[in-house]
Amino acid sequence: MSHHPSGPTSPPPTDPPTGGPGNGQLAVVGGGVIGWSVAWRAAVAGWSVTVFDPRPGRGSSWVAGGMLAPLTEGHPGEDALLELGSESLRRWPAFAEQLTAAAGRPCGLSAEGTIVVGWNAGDRAELARTVAYLAGRGRLVTQLDDDELRVLEPGLAPALRSGVSVPQDRSVDNRALLAALRAAADRAGVRTVERAVSDLDDDGVRGADQVVIAAGTGSPTLTGPLRSTGALPIRPVKGEILRLRARPGAVPGPRHTVRALVHGRSVYLVPRSDGLVVGATQHEVGADTTVTVGGVRDLLADATAVLPGLAEFEFAEHAAGLRPMSPDGVPFIGRLDDRVVLATGHGRNGILLAPLTADAVLADLHRSPLAEVAAAAPGRFA
Amino acid sequence: MSHHPSGPTSPPPTDPPTGGPGNGQLAVVGGGVIGWSVAWRAAVAGWSVTVFDPRPGRGSSWVAGGMLAPLTEGHPGEDALLELGSESLRRWPAFAEQLTAAAGRPCGLSAEGTIVVGWNAGDRAELARTVAYLAGRGRLVTQLDDDELRVLEPGLAPALRSGVSVPQDRSVDNRALLAALRAAADRAGVRTVERAVSDLDDDGVRGADQVVIAAGTGSPTLTGPLRSTGALPIRPVKGEILRLRARPGAVPGPRHTVRALVHGRSVYLVPRSDGLVVGATQHEVGADTTVTVGGVRDLLADATAVLPGLAEFEFAEHAAGLRPMSPDGVPFIGRLDDRVVLATGHGRNGILLAPLTADAVLADLHRSPLAEVAAAAPGRFA
């Protein structure tokens, strides 16, 4: 059977919470997708919001692949993350609709799902374990035979004879999203201060009634030693990504997000309007954003093994970002003390988790925490 | 036997020809290595020189690997090019010495020779043919066994068990060279006009007593239809190169230029003070400087096959340049008419051939053509 993936079941758009003007001064430290999402929603809800970031929108959100993929990122043993991701994905269509209207420009959400393939028998066996895990949790994953696979993605290498369709996973153009968030925030009256904030005694932050920390790998420095847990346990995990651009005469790029295991190495290919993003390596090497020869070599070799026509694309950009990773892969979302709310440590899933995180932070600001993010409680390692 | 390559026999530095002030107005169209070499030497010789280039020093000279390699670029059937290259290499040490003094800064000439390796039996057989050709023409090429190879370049892949030393080939840091040429030219009073010249009726060029065309792939447009030969037969051949940068903790890069054949594909690795240049693909695709996915993939795969430690280097830069290629690979150096001298069409060998080309053009300007460049006569396809 050949089929087109159907969209996820989307709840009706809910209006953002409105508290009216006069909720007070809110400082958001960090101008990535999480920080901007919170800032926009808080400003709409009546907060007077200032975002602090030395280079707004140019951190790991800028480098991201933009997969909204709780399912294809799902791994046995990471149930809490799967549930958080599924909950946030459910909120994405309404979030995108409101954002597009508020920004007056598209936010880059794609309607296409994900295709997963394995290069050799070992790779396919590993994928089968993930598929079984997801199916066991009631998720929609569909085995594809050779014909079905080629109907969905004609450019796949002939050696790939089977695959898996994950129709509910989505992707978003991370840079279109950043531009839309910035535009919506600007329209809602958010102020942006382009400088680094190194601690919460900072002149600009000290006067705020509430502070949201959404500073990714910079968050532990900001929070300092916590009463209960010592330093916030977030470490940088480097990810290298490439951007490939279609050229006249080259075969079309993929229409779906394509994820592959190639000799045990994971590669993803996420479509963009002018080409695609290829990612992503994972290196635990501290705060190092150097793109390595070995990283680029492996990404290109694996990407062109899976989709040979990409060899004729333009090699347009290489970059590395730092994922803010927690010990269990689950972010820290929730109140730290009377004045400070955390929205950080999202690891690989910051863009996926943005709608849920923004909703949860707004709920925290209004002192009614969201039960859906209980697994992301800041104090869970105390 | 392990040995260090000895330097080429260098003639004593000759003083540049000095014609004294008042030789007249000289327009040089093209600010690459050839154009700047001619401009500097002509200004020293008393010409009042103006260089025209919309982006001086940013054409194919900027992208080049900088090999001074008439021998390792030598191929059976290209005798004329081998002789031109050998003659120019003989002039390089004195040229570099004069340039360094004139510029007040080093011009990036390396004292190390070249190591050549073949990945598999077929690659080694192909190299053996070139070695036999060069030895037959009296050039110094030395077979290296496993031990000798590893003493010279410890980072070579263990699978490489033999190689060839070409001690007389050299390399130069093309960007240090461009900076030195520019500095020397400035000090000698050369004027630079940063704009494109599209024909010789150009306002800036029309008043010059003599004109040198050193505009690479832009040269045919400038010369228009030639009385004798139709258009100047120069076509662009795209070359993609990468720059890799050493990182703390990475093994050292190569000390020599390393050339390899890997499954029939040619790759070269040219040391720089902070890393190396890896090149170069060859594509006959017109005036297209897009860097392709397949090009980068192959260069990285081949470079890290030969020197595995490069995987930990930084992937610093990718670029493509357009080699101005003539039908026989030999440039066009010499007088076109009473007012115009050609110094173009150098293909892969512009940097190697710069000293000889500058000497020959100066000789042409003074109406005493150099016999050594007879093979590069502009009218040879008439």
Side-chain angles (χ1 to χ4, degrees):
Chain A
M1 175 199 81
S2 125
H3 77 274
H4 285 274
S6 60
T9 308
S10 173
T14 52
D15 290 331
T18 50
N23 266 325
Q25 302 282 332
L26 174 66
V28 177
V29 185
V33 162
I34 297 293
W36 286 114
S37 296
V38 168
W40 162 50
R41 300 294 295 274
V44 170
W47 291 83
S48 173
V49 184
T50 307
V51 172
F52 295 86
D53 196 307
R55 299 185 68 217
R58 287 290 178 150
S60 54
S61 297
W62 181 253
V63 177
M67 286 187 296
L68 310 178
L71 300 183
T72 43
E73 287 278 341
H75 299 291
E78 296 187 344
D79 294 5
L81 190 56
L82 176 62
E83 297 307 325
L84 281 172
S86 298
E87 179 58 34
S88 197
L89 182 59
R90 211 177 57 82
R91 292 166 190 247
W92 247 102
F95 180 85
E97 191 174 310
Q98 291 164 4
L99 176 57
T100 300
R105 54 183 297 162
C107 72
L109 181 63
S110 162
E112 302 290 350
T114 296
I115 305 293
V116 187
V117 292
W119 185 254
N120 62 22
D123 297 327
R124 288 189 292 275
E126 187 170 334
L127 291 176
R129 282 190 289 278
T130 300
V131 166
Y133 163 71
L134 293 172
R137 298 192 66 89
R139 263 59 178 197
L140 179 56
V141 285
T142 311
Q143 209 63 53
L144 301 171
D145 67 20
D146 197 1
D147 291 343
E148 292 164 340
L149 191 62
R150 239 145 286 279
V151 167
L152 292 176
E153 283 301 339
L156 286 169
L160 295 165
R161 308 294 295 275
S162 67
V164 175
S165 166
V166 186
Q168 292 175 336
D169 274 0
R170 288 282 172 276
S171 72
V172 64
D173 180 331
N174 58 316
R175 296 182 182 175
L177 174 63
L178 281 165
L181 283 169
R182 179 75 188 254
D186 284 352
R187 286 183 171 192
V190 172
R191 282 181 61 226
T192 302
V193 177
E194 296 204 7
R195 67 174 174 81
V197 165
S198 55
D199 62 60
L200 299 188
D201 284 333
D202 177 276
D203 280 348
V205 174
R206 211 165 38 204
D209 300 301
Q210 293 282 302
V211 181
V212 173
I213 295 180
T217 56
S219 302
T221 311
L222 278 164
T223 53
L226 305 181
R227 270 190 304 278
S228 54
T229 63
L232 192 65
I234 293 177
R235 68 189 195 283
V237 176
K238 181 164 85 167
E240 295 162 314
I241 67 109
L242 311 175
R243 282 171 184 257
L244 316 185
R245 197 172 292 142
R247 290 167 68 214
V251 299
R255 191 159 59 89
H256 305 80
T257 295
V258 174
R259 296 198 58 139
L261 269 181
V262 181
H263 301 295
R265 279 199 308 247
S266 179
V267 64
Y268 59 73
L269 304 97
V270 191
R272 289 290 187 270
S273 60
D274 64 346
L276 67 160
V277 177
V278 178
T281 61
Q282 294 208 50
H283 299 288
E284 307 245 355
V285 289
D288 163 26
T289 54
T290 308
V291 176
T292 64
V293 166
V296 177
R297 175 195 60 189
D298 294 347
L299 290 173
L300 290 181
D302 296 346
T304 57
V306 171
L307 284 158
L310 296 182
E312 293 304 316
F313 274 48
E314 178 185 354
F315 183 88
E317 189 182 330
H318 60 280
L322 297 175
R323 305 178 187 89
M325 196 69 75
S326 72
D328 57 0
V330 174
F332 298 104
I333 307 171
R335 186 165 285 284
L336 194 64
D337 61 28
D338 265 4
R339 199 167 148 264
V340 178
V341 175
L342 291 185
T344 188
H346 289 75
R348 293 189 303 270
N349 298 293
I351 294 182
L352 168 63
L353 296 175
L356 178 60
T357 302
D359 287 348
V361 169
L362 266 288
D364 271 317
L365 289 175
H366 299 143
R367 309 283 173 168
S368 58
L370 212 62
E372 289 88 336
V373 297
R380 68 187 183 275
F381 294 105
Chain B
M1 177 200 78
S2 125
H3 77 275
H4 286 275
S6 58
T9 308
S10 172
T14 52
D15 291 330
T18 50
N23 265 325
Q25 302 282 333
L26 175 66
V28 176
V29 186
V33 161
I34 297 292
W36 286 115
S37 297
V38 167
W40 163 51
R41 300 295 296 273
V44 170
W47 292 83
S48 174
V49 184
T50 306
V51 172
F52 295 85
D53 196 308
R55 300 185 67 221
R58 287 292 179 149
S60 54
S61 297
W62 181 252
V63 177
M67 285 186 296
L68 310 178
L71 301 184
T72 43
E73 287 278 339
H75 298 290
E78 295 187 345
D79 294 5
L81 190 56
L82 175 62
E83 297 307 325
L84 281 174
S86 298
E87 179 59 33
S88 196
L89 182 59
R90 210 175 58 80
R91 294 168 190 246
W92 246 102
F95 180 84
E97 191 174 308
Q98 291 164 4
L99 176 58
T100 300
R105 56 182 296 162
C107 73
L109 181 62
S110 162
E112 302 289 351
T114 296
I115 305 293
V116 187
V117 292
W119 185 253
N120 62 21
D123 297 326
R124 287 189 292 274
E126 186 169 336
L127 291 177
R129 282 190 289 277
T130 300
V131 167
Y133 164 70
L134 293 172
R137 298 193 67 88
R139 262 60 179 196
L140 179 56
V141 285
T142 311
Q143 208 66 48
L144 301 171
D145 68 20
D146 197 359
D147 291 344
E148 293 164 339
L149 191 61
R150 238 145 287 279
V151 166
L152 291 176
E153 283 300 340
L156 286 170
L160 295 165
R161 307 295 296 274
S162 67
V164 175
S165 166
V166 186
Q168 292 176 336
D169 274 1
R170 288 281 172 279
S171 72
V172 64
D173 179 332
N174 59 316
R175 295 182 183 174
L177 174 63
L178 281 165
L181 284 169
R182 180 74 187 257
D186 284 351
R187 286 182 171 194
V190 172
R191 283 180 62 227
T192 303
V193 177
E194 296 204 6
R195 65 175 175 79
V197 166
S198 57
D199 62 62
L200 300 189
D201 285 332
D202 176 277
D203 281 346
V205 174
R206 209 164 40 204
D209 301 301
Q210 292 284 302
V211 180
V212 173
I213 295 181
T217 55
S219 303
T221 312
L222 278 164
T223 52
L226 305 181
R227 270 190 304 277
S228 53
T229 64
L232 191 64
I234 293 177
R235 67 189 195 282
V237 177
K238 181 165 85 166
E240 296 161 314
I241 66 110
L242 312 175
R243 284 173 181 255
L244 316 185
R245 196 172 291 143
R247 290 167 68 213
V251 300
R255 191 159 59 88
H256 305 80
T257 294
V258 175
R259 297 198 58 138
L261 270 181
V262 181
H263 300 294
R265 278 199 307 248
S266 179
V267 64
Y268 59 73
L269 304 97
V270 191
R272 289 288 187 273
S273 60
D274 64 346
L276 67 160
V277 177
V278 178
T281 61
Q282 293 208 51
H283 299 289
E284 308 244 356
V285 288
D288 163 26
T289 54
T290 307
V291 176
T292 64
V293 166
V296 177
R297 176 194 60 189
D298 293 347
L299 289 174
L300 290 181
D302 296 347
T304 57
V306 171
L307 285 158
L310 296 181
E312 293 304 316
F313 274 49
E314 178 184 355
F315 183 88
E317 189 183 327
H318 59 278
L322 298 176
R323 306 178 186 90
M325 197 67 76
S326 72
D328 56 1
V330 174
F332 299 103
I333 307 171
R335 187 164 283 285
L336 194 63
D337 61 30
D338 265 2
R339 200 167 146 262
V340 178
V341 175
L342 290 186
T344 188
H346 289 74
R348 291 190 305 271
N349 299 294
I351 294 182
L352 168 63
L353 296 175
L356 177 60
T357 303
D359 287 348
V361 170
L362 266 287
D364 271 318
L365 289 175
H366 298 144
R367 310 281 172 170
S368 58
L370 212 62
E372 288 88 336
V373 298
R380 67 185 182 277
F381 295 106

